[in-house]
Amino acid sequence: MSLKLYNTMGRKIEDFIPINKDIVRFYGCGPTVYKFAHIGNLRAYVFQDILTRTLLFLGYNVKHVMNITDIGHLSDDGDDGEDKMLKSARETGLTVAQIADIYIKAFFEDVDNLNIKRPSIICRATEHINDMIELIKKIEKNGHTYMSEGNLYFDISTFHDYGKLSGVDIETLKPGARIDIDKNKKNPNDFVLWFTKSKFKNHALLWDSPWGRGYPGWHIECSAMSIKYLGEHFDIHTGGIDHIRVHHTNEIAQSESATGKKWVNYWLHNEFLITDKGKMSKSKGDVFVLNDIIRQGFSPLDYRFFLLGGHYRKQLAFSWEALETAKNARKKLLERVKKILKDCPREKLNKCEEIVNNCNFENYKGYISNERLISHLINFKEAIEKDLNTPNALSFLQAVIKERNIKSEEILIAIAMIDSVLGLDIIKESQKLKETSDNLDNIDIEKIEELIKERKQAKIDKDYKKADNIRELLKSQNIVLEDTPNGTIWKVIDSK
Ligand code: AMP
Ligand code: ZN
């Protein structure tokens, strides 16, 4: 089998054939950095990560570009509403640059916590204004624009294939409802390439351009930066399904009008994370960020495990109960792997680490000789090749860890190969669990209880220094104390 992907363009599963067989070039729309990414947004990036990891597993090199929107994304995806970055700056009293710095940092902390590989290139819109201006010049030269009331618009009537991605017949779209009625536009679906007439006084970010001092529309950044880093024709473009109708449709119109040729071969879109109120979104007020999950006692990897239990093209319903189920299932998995680790010489684990970081299936399959393991691995590969079917792929991971009477190092290598795609850090996490339980085995409980009693007495004697010293002594042995109304309790903490 070979990789098959569902292409939104054409709405069918297709064999994946890269333009250049040695390297897959892919662009994923990145975050707008005006607030914390919510866990629905993060689904989009875990999906991009599974795609990257799958491509690596199948032996491709990958050049993955992600943009950071730090200008131009209005509160409506079209040309309506206020710039999200400027609104956030106005509300907090910070500058746009400060807002961007805070949320870029927070975003990449989430990315690291979720074990998402960093893209090869991360590019900020505000650092690519010249590239955008150059691209707009080409679009203008090719006759696809008009000026109206100080703003430069893209004229969709000049682009024959407008709407081909969403399959919406533009003729049938009437102004009203969800489409902005802007009297400066010839067609309500025309969109701004360059604003010079800000709707807001004191617009903080303005650049000189051939059309006047102003700022870019939102969509042009993705066209300009993807072409700059990946060329005029590349393999894959991803985003959430909400981007199909406006953002990606407009990206295609711009890019193909500028170059006169096909821009992207495969369009992949993830479905929404939903709650009982529908799509998780800020406006509905039931939004959680990754830190909420951590505060509730979950690991970010519990959330990743939960996400992998759903296919990226299906809606996934978030609830705390569902997350609890995922947490328990992951714990069970790690407990089982912990047992396998007990029988494996430590030096053999280096190979696993190498594999989990970058596994090309063909290069490593020779390390497995057991027939049953080989068959689970092939089943796993076929599941992931079938449009990234992670729920199915997880079942073959379960089959591997349930195996008995096979050398533990061979099982661990198979786990590492699978985990190079799933990104659950299974062996490392199981090792941590093992170390915690090894520590517990070595703990002298009587000694701890004695020290707690001594600390209690020290507090009664108002010898707070001694009480603190005892707390610190225990902490240095990874034991933390917690004073509760029912007395002092102790816990073993992770030493890392
Ligand atoms: P934004 O920062 O608003 O541009 O969104 C970042 C990414 O998250 C985009 O690819 C969106 O399509 C995606 N997205 C937004 N809401 C959800 C959701 N509830 N579930 C999954 N993906 C989402
Ligand atoms: Zn984009």
Side-chain angles (χ1 to χ4, degrees):
M1 230 185 93
S2 60
L3 181 60
K4 292 183 191 310
L5 297 171
Y6 180 86
N7 195 346
T8 308
M9 187 71 82
R11 315 250 156 189
K12 60 177 190 306
I13 301 262
E14 290 177 12
D15 284 328
F16 174 70
I17 303 163
I19 297 165
N20 173 337
K21 68 178 172 35
D22 295 324
I23 185 153
V24 174
R25 286 166 294 150
F26 115 69
Y27 184 89
C29 287
T32 307
V33 285
Y34 70 110
K35 63 175 169 64
F36 293 109
H38 61 65
I39 57 171
N41 298 137
L42 294 174
R43 184 179 194 198
Y45 306 111
V46 170
F47 152 63
Q48 289 186 17
D49 187 48
I50 292 291
L51 176 61
T52 304
R53 288 167 174 274
T54 299
L55 291 165
L56 293 171
F57 185 73
L58 298 177
Y60 297 109
N61 291 312
V62 178
K63 187 169 180 188
H64 172 195
V65 176
M66 181 193 280
N67 67 308
I68 303 277
T69 300
D70 55 359
I71 181 72
H73 191 173
L74 305 189
S75 55
D76 154 297
D77 279 351
D79 300 324
D80 213 11
E82 189 171 356
D83 186 303
K84 293 184 180 192
M85 296 297 295
L86 295 175
K87 183 164 182 274
S88 183
R90 183 171 50 71
E91 285 168 358
T92 56
L94 298 171
T95 65
V96 169
Q98 284 167 329
I99 296 281
D101 287 346
I102 291 169
Y103 292 113
I104 288 173
K105 185 167 171 284
F107 175 72
F108 284 104
E109 273 169 20
D110 288 350
V111 161
D112 292 343
N113 278 329
L114 284 166
N115 207 20
I116 294 172
K117 280 184 192 285
R118 298 250 181 148
S120 337
I121 293 176
I122 297 159
C123 40
R124 283 174 75 154
T126 50
E127 290 168 4
H128 293 77
I129 301 292
N130 272 340
D131 299 296
M132 298 185 213
I133 291 174
E134 288 308 311
L135 194 69
I136 298 173
K137 279 201 228 161
K138 285 188 189 160
I139 300 169
E140 185 179 44
K141 188 163 158 260
N142 291 346
H144 297 282
T145 64
Y146 60 91
M147 276 304 276
S148 177
E149 288 297 314
N151 295 327
L152 184 74
Y153 288 90
F154 186 94
D155 181 350
I156 66 159
S157 69
T158 65
F159 183 65
H160 178 62
D161 280 338
Y162 190 83
K164 65 181 169 182
L165 183 68
S166 64
V168 173
D169 178 1
I170 287 312
E171 295 302 316
T172 65
L173 282 177
K174 298 267 182 317
R178 302 205 44 206
I179 301 164
D180 174 29
I181 306 171
D182 175 345
K183 60 179 178 1
N184 301 322
K185 293 182 182 183
K186 292 189 199 164
N187 182 307
N189 290 290
D190 290 348
F191 55 94
V192 178
L193 294 165
W194 190 266
F195 291 96
T196 67
K197 287 269 172 70
S198 171
K199 293 175 190 162
F200 320 105
K201 287 201 179 77
N202 308 321
H203 195 292
L205 295 172
L206 296 171
W207 291 266
D208 287 327
S209 83
W211 312 280
R213 199 163 165 73
Y215 59 100
W218 172 38
H219 317 295
I220 195 71
E221 68 173 82
C222 290
S223 295
M225 293 193 279
S226 63
I227 289 174
K228 174 169 182 157
Y229 293 110
L230 297 173
E232 291 183 351
H233 182 206
F234 57 90
D235 299 294
I236 304 176
H237 194 313
T238 68
I241 53 157
D242 51 334
H243 284 345
I244 298 172
R245 172 58 197 88
V246 177
H247 183 49
H248 289 168
T249 289
N250 292 350
E251 283 184 22
I252 293 169
Q254 297 165 154
S255 306
E256 299 192 355
S257 297
T259 65
K261 61 185 185 206
K262 185 175 183 178
W263 180 43
V264 170
N265 280 357
Y266 300 87
W267 285 89
L268 272 59
H269 292 97
N270 66 280
E271 250 290 357
F272 289 141
L273 183 78
I274 56 165
T275 65
D276 48 10
K277 294 180 191 146
K279 175 194 172 194
M280 181 168 284
S281 76
K282 199 174 165 221
S283 56
K284 296 198 182 110
D286 56 350
V287 173
F288 301 110
V289 297
L290 197 62
N291 274 333
D292 294 323
I293 282 186
I294 296 169
R295 270 193 292 273
Q296 294 292 326
F298 294 96
S299 154
L301 293 177
D302 291 328
Y303 182 58
R304 185 174 174 113
F305 189 82
F306 163 77
L307 288 178
L308 301 188
H311 189 266
Y312 79 91
R313 272 197 303 117
K314 294 217 167 87
Q315 290 192 343
L316 184 63
F318 176 80
S319 68
W320 292 104
E321 294 73 32
L323 191 58
E324 190 71 41
T325 307
K327 177 182 176 172
N328 292 336
R330 190 176 79 92
K331 175 122 194 296
K332 240 169 133 179
L333 177 92
L334 299 183
E335 287 288 350
R336 175 73 200 121
V337 178
K338 186 182 94 180
K339 288 201 184 109
I340 303 171
L341 276 170
K342 278 199 175 136
D343 304 324
C344 179
R346 219 189 153 87
E347 64 277 8
K348 302 270 181 195
L349 292 179
N350 295 340
K351 192 88 234 154
C352 292
E353 200 172 322
E354 173 191 317
I355 293 172
V356 90
N357 285 334
N358 193 351
C359 173
N360 172 340
F361 176 76
E362 285 301 320
N363 289 353
Y364 287 99
K365 66 177 189 200
Y367 284 88
I368 310 285
S369 57
N370 180 277
E371 296 279 316
R372 292 198 306 278
L373 282 184
I374 291 175
S375 137
H376 298 322
L377 274 171
I378 288 173
N379 287 337
F380 169 82
K381 180 169 168 282
E382 285 184 1
I384 208 77
E385 280 177 333
K386 243 182 233 160
D387 196 27
L388 315 177
N389 192 335
T390 51
N392 210 351
L394 276 172
S395 68
F396 298 110
L397 169 65
Q398 297 289 357
V400 168
I401 64 158
K402 281 186 189 138
E403 277 298 348
R404 301 273 187 281
N405 307 322
I406 300 176
K407 265 204 296 192
S408 60
E409 54 229 61
E410 214 172 299
I411 301 185
L412 288 169
I413 285 182
I415 293 171
M417 288 175 78
I418 289 177
D419 201 25
S420 73
V421 177
L422 301 180
L424 292 166
D425 244 353
I426 297 169
I427 295 178
K428 236 194 236 165
E429 290 282 302
S430 307
Q431 240 173 324
K432 273 202 230 162
L433 207 64
K434 181 170 170 293
E435 276 159 25
T436 311
S437 57
D438 288 352
N439 281 345
L440 263 179
D441 290 345
N442 296 330
I443 279 172
D444 183 344
I445 295 177
E446 267 179 37
K447 180 80 190 155
I448 295 172
E449 301 289 343
E450 202 179 295
L451 283 169
I452 288 176
K453 262 193 217 151
E454 251 184 69
R455 177 172 170 266
K456 190 176 171 192
Q457 189 56 47
K459 279 178 41 180
I460 293 169
D461 299 342
K462 298 203 173 6
D463 188 351
Y464 298 114
K465 192 159 178 15
K466 183 174 176 187
D468 284 347
N469 285 345
I470 292 174
R471 179 192 279 281
E472 286 309 309
L473 173 72
L474 286 168
K475 198 169 165 203
S476 69
Q477 294 162 21
N478 300 322
I479 311 285
V480 286
L481 301 183
E482 202 179 301
D483 294 318
T484 75
N486 300 321
T488 303
I489 56 168
W490 58 274
K491 275 190 232 158
V492 185
I493 51 161
D494 189 352
S495 55
K496 275 174 228 123

